[in-house]
Amino acid sequence: MRGKAFHNRIAMEAKTILNNHSWQVHTEHRCRKNGITTYLDLFAIKGNKAIACEVETTSRHAVDNARKAQAVGVVLWIIVPTRTLHRQIERKLTSSSVIANDQSIKTILLSQLNTELTLI
């Protein structure tokens, strides 16, 4: 993983949770479509379903990562460690005209990942 220790720890915990739900998970997955290349922290596949996951420990890159996910046409879950960061990112995504009301982008707490996976 290319992130710092805290980021990588969250990513590995998320990978373990996804694996426990029988998802095949790739780290630092390169995704190319429409002439755009991006790297995703985690890319999970189960049957005909796929989820791209970006771990955010600050709100700095959330909108950029969401735009890249939209550009390559993947469902994106932004995984965050705290409720405060969750609110900050939700506000940024909502105020972004590119991101507003996009159902393919979801911000979740790491502690919610297990529950979210049972809803799919």
Side-chain angles (χ1 to χ4, degrees):
M1 298 292 309
R2 298 184 299 173
K4 294 183 180 180
F6 183 55
H7 171 277
N8 293 346
R9 190 184 90 220
I10 294 169
M12 296 292 43
E13 287 181 36
K15 179 180 179 182
T16 298
I17 293 167
L18 285 155
N19 285 149
N20 288 343
H21 284 267
S22 302
W23 290 77
Q24 180 183 5
V25 183
H26 305 276
T27 58
E28 288 301 327
H29 179 74
R30 183 177 68 188
C31 189
R32 256 190 280 178
K33 188 175 180 183
N34 303 325
I36 297 168
T37 301
T38 189
Y39 289 84
L40 305 163
D41 289 337
L42 303 171
F43 189 71
I45 302 167
K46 183 176 181 181
N48 63 350
K49 298 175 187 152
I51 304 168
C53 299
E54 282 292 336
V55 173
E56 299 293 352
T57 57
T58 71
S59 63
R60 184 176 49 200
H61 298 295
V63 171
D64 293 335
N65 284 333
R67 284 188 176 125
K68 288 190 281 185
Q70 283 180 321
V72 295
V74 295
V75 170
L76 176 66
W77 288 8
I78 300 171
I79 301 172
V80 298
T82 67
R83 291 186 190 285
T84 299
L85 183 56
H86 183 280
R87 285 189 299 272
Q88 290 171 349
I89 289 175
E90 284 294 307
R91 280 194 301 269
K92 279 190 164 191
L93 293 175
T94 300
S95 67
S96 170
S97 61
V98 175
I99 309 303
N101 301 318
D102 190 329
Q103 298 300 311
S104 68
I105 298 171
K106 180 186 291 198
T107 307
I108 62 170
L109 293 165
L110 176 62
S111 61
Q112 295 173 316
L113 182 56
N114 212 11
T115 301
E116 289 295 326
L117 290 169
T118 62
L119 300 175
I120 296 179

